[in-house]
Amino acid sequence: MKKLLRYSALLMMLSPALSHADTEMRFSWWGGNQRHEATRATIDQYKVQHPTVTIKAEPSGWDGYLSRVSTQLAGSTEPDVMQINWNWLELFSKNGEGFYDLNKLSQHIDLSQFTEQGKNLVTRGGKLNGIPIALTARLMYYNANVWQQAGLEYPQTWDDILKAGPVFKSKLGDDYYPFFLGAVDTSILTFLNSYMVQKYNIAMIDEEKKQFNYTPEQWLEFFGLYKKLVDNHVIPSMKYFTAFGKANAWEIRPWLEGKLGGTYIWTTEGTYADSLKAPSKLVLGPYPMLPGAKDSGLFFKPSQIFSIGNSAKNPEEAAKFINYMLNDPAGIKTMGLQRGIPLSKIAVATLEKEGILKSGDIQAQSLEQVNKLSGDVKVSSYFENQKLLSVFLDYLQQYDYGKLSIEDVAAGFPKAGERVLKRII
C-alpha cells in the first residue's frame, strides 16, 4: 500500500493534468447571433490554449437578462464573468462591493490599455467594478439623401437645427422632419441636457445631495426647448409615435421611406443604418454646439462592461480570460467589432492592422468625434434609471396630449423627479 501511494504521488507530480484539477468558469452575456458566434469562437480558442480551463457559455438575448442576473447576484450564484450594463452598477454596487475589485487583478489584466476616463466610469467606492469593453455615446446621424432633397447642410449649431424644420416642411411636406428623438428611451432627456450643459456648464443631477441643480427658470428653458423643437417642425412629438404601436423606431414606415431625416442614437447602434434602402444612407453629422460652450454635454458611457462576480471561485483565471478577450491579439481578432470599437489601445491597433477597423468607417468616425467632444461635466448613469425616465416621459406625454402646459411640466417634473432620486440614489 505504501509503494502504491508513493507511485500515485509520483504520477501526480509528473503529470500536470493529474496534479491540477480543471478550472471551471461560467460566462454570461447578451447579444444577437453574430455576437454569440464570435464569443463562442473566442471561448473555443482560449480553451485550446488553456486545456485545463473549462468555460460554460451562457448567452442570451437582452430580454430577461437583467432579471436573471439580479436573481443570481442575490443568491450568490452569479457567473464568474458576466457582461453587464453601466447603469446596473447603481443597482448592484453603489458602494463598490457588488463585484470583484479588478484593481486586485492587475497582474492578470493589463489595465494600462484602458483610459482613466473609461475606468473612472466603472469605479465605485475606489473599486474597479469591471472593464469597460467599449465607449458609446449619442451622436447625430442623418439620412444624406433627404437632406440633399431639402437643400440643407447638416446643422452645426442649435439655431441651425431650429431653422431646418420649416425648410423640411415647406420643401418636402408636413410628413418630413429633420430628425427624431425616441419616444421611449433616453434620447429626449439627454439631448435637452446637452444644450443645458453647453449653456450653463452644470450637471442636471447632484448625486451627493440627491437633487437637481436647475433653477425654476432653467427648468422652463429646458422643457421650452422641447416645445421649440416640436413647434418648429424639427422633431415629431411623442404623440406622433403612438400611431405606430410598439414597433421599433427603425421599423416604422416614415423611417423606412426616408421621411425622417436623421436620429440621435448610440454610436454602437447599427439597426437604423441597416434598415435604410438606397438611395438613403445614414452618415455621421456634426454635433450641435452653442457659441463659446466649454463642454458639449455629450452623453457617453461604456457600451458594456465585463465584471467578475464576488462568488467567483478562481478570479485570477477569470481575469486572464477577460484579458484574452480584450487585450490578446488572437482574442481581439476573433471578437472583431461585435461589441463596438474596443476601448483597449492594443485592440484598436490590432483591428486597424488587420483591416477590420478602417478610418473611413462610420464607427471609427463616431469614436473620433466622441473623443473630441467628451468633457468634464459629470455624466450621470441615473439618466438611464427606468423610474426617473418613466416620470420624465410621462410629463412630456401629458404635454403632447394637451393635458399640461409646458409651465406645468417645468414645475411638476422637478418635484416628482427629486422624489425618485431620493429613493434610487
Side-chain angles (χ1 to χ4, degrees):
M1 179 60 71
K2 290 180 180 179
K3 289 182 179 179
L4 181 61
L5 290 173
R6 284 198 297 271
Y7 180 69
S8 298
L10 180 61
L11 279 178
M12 292 179 70
M13 287 188 290
L14 293 174
S15 174
L18 290 174
S19 62
H20 300 287
D22 284 359
T23 298
E24 294 186 356
M25 285 190 292
R26 293 163 52 215
F27 173 32
S28 71
W29 73 91
W30 74 82
N33 288 333
Q34 289 184 325
R35 182 181 295 174
H36 294 338
E37 291 173 6
T39 306
R40 286 184 182 278
T42 305
I43 292 172
D44 291 341
Q45 276 182 188
Y46 187 81
K47 289 164 70 175
V48 169
Q49 296 184 26
H50 302 81
T52 62
V53 177
T54 299
I55 300 175
K56 181 183 177 183
E58 298 180 3
S60 74
W62 170 255
D63 290 343
Y65 188 90
L66 173 58
S67 177
R68 183 166 65 257
V69 169
S70 299
T71 302
Q72 291 170 336
L73 287 168
S76 298
T77 59
E78 75 273 16
D80 301 85
V81 179
M82 68 199 91
Q83 179 180 301
I84 67 168
N85 215 18
W86 179 50
N87 63 316
W88 297 354
L89 293 180
E90 313 306 340
L91 295 175
F92 305 127
S93 190
K94 285 184 181 180
N95 60 0
E97 300 291 341
F99 299 97
Y100 201 94
D101 181 8
L102 300 191
N103 286 316
K104 298 178 180 179
L105 300 169
S106 58
Q107 68 270 38
H108 304 298
I109 302 178
D110 184 0
L111 299 179
S112 68
Q113 297 298 330
F114 305 91
T115 64
E116 291 303 313
Q117 182 187 55
K119 288 182 287 189
N120 288 339
L121 286 170
V122 295
T123 296
R124 298 293 183 274
K127 297 177 174 61
L128 186 62
N129 273 212
I131 296 294
I133 303 168
L135 289 183
T136 187
R138 286 193 177 276
L139 297 179
M140 301 300 299
Y141 295 88
Y142 296 109
N143 182 338
N145 181 58
V146 71
W147 278 81
Q148 288 172 2
Q149 292 177 39
L152 290 174
E153 299 290 332
Y154 304 130
Q156 298 275 354
T157 68
W158 293 87
D159 282 343
D160 291 342
I161 284 177
L162 292 173
K163 292 175 182 176
V167 176
F168 265 68
K169 184 176 181 179
S170 64
K171 283 194 174 183
L172 304 178
D174 286 349
D175 49 351
Y176 282 81
Y177 292 86
F179 67 96
F180 75 91
L181 300 172
V184 295
D185 59 27
T186 62
S187 61
I188 301 176
L189 176 61
T190 55
F191 191 68
L192 302 179
N193 175 72
S194 184
Y195 173 87
M196 297 296 284
V197 170
Q198 289 181 28
K199 185 167 184 179
Y200 296 104
N201 207 45
I202 58 172
M204 178 194 292
I205 299 173
D206 186 326
E207 295 181 8
E208 291 186 5
K209 295 181 179 179
K210 302 182 181 182
Q211 64 185 34
F212 294 119
N213 286 323
Y214 293 168
T215 65
E217 293 76 20
Q218 287 170 333
W219 277 119
L220 187 57
E221 184 175 9
F222 176 88
F223 286 106
L225 177 58
Y226 174 77
K227 183 178 186 299
K228 286 181 181 178
L229 292 170
V230 174
D231 290 350
N232 283 273
H233 201 79
V234 178
I235 63 171
S237 70
M238 290 180 63
K239 185 178 179 181
Y240 169 93
F241 290 97
T242 58
F244 305 103
K246 295 184 179 180
N248 293 310
W250 60 84
E251 298 172 323
I252 64 176
R253 187 177 297 277
W255 176 257
L256 298 174
E257 293 178 346
K259 292 183 177 180
L260 299 175
T263 184
Y264 172 66
I265 51 171
W266 297 113
T267 57
T268 47
E269 175 61 77
T271 49
Y272 288 88
D274 294 341
S275 64
L276 290 176
K277 297 179 181 179
S280 294
K281 180 183 179 181
L282 204 66
V283 298
L284 175 68
Y287 198 78
M289 293 291 292
L290 286 173
K294 297 179 180 179
D295 195 304
S296 67
L298 188 72
F299 186 64
F300 66 96
K301 65 171 188 173
S303 56
Q304 303 113 26
I305 303 165
F306 281 150
S307 293
I308 295 177
N310 279 328
S311 302
K313 295 180 180 179
N314 198 327
E316 292 81 9
E317 288 296 336
K320 292 176 184 177
F321 175 55
I322 290 176
N323 192 69
Y324 179 80
M325 289 190 288
L326 300 182
N327 292 329
D328 188 289
I332 292 165
K333 287 185 284 187
T334 304
M335 194 71 75
L337 297 172
Q338 290 305 316
R339 287 180 171 82
I341 297 179
L343 184 60
S344 164
K345 289 178 284 189
I346 191 173
V348 170
T350 300
L351 294 175
E352 288 178 339
K353 181 180 179 181
E354 295 295 320
I356 298 172
L357 177 62
K358 300 175 182 178
S359 59
D361 291 347
I362 191 169
Q363 281 186 307
Q365 293 173 357
S366 300
L367 182 62
E368 184 179 354
Q369 189 176 114
V370 170
N371 289 336
K372 290 179 179 177
L373 289 172
S374 53
D376 297 325
V377 175
K378 179 177 171 57
V379 179
S380 177
S381 62
Y382 288 102
F383 281 152
E384 294 194 304
N385 181 274
Q386 288 303 308
K387 292 179 181 178
L388 183 63
L389 183 61
S390 178
V391 172
F392 172 78
L393 295 176
D394 180 63
Y395 268 89
L396 275 190
Q397 191 172 50
Q398 290 189 65
Y399 165 72
D400 284 334
Y401 277 87
K403 296 180 180 179
L404 294 175
S405 69
I406 206 68
E407 290 79 11
D408 293 333
V409 175
F413 170 72
K415 296 176 183 177
E418 284 195 351
R419 287 196 292 270
V420 174
L421 289 179
K422 293 186 186 305
R423 292 198 303 269
I424 63 177
I425 297 181

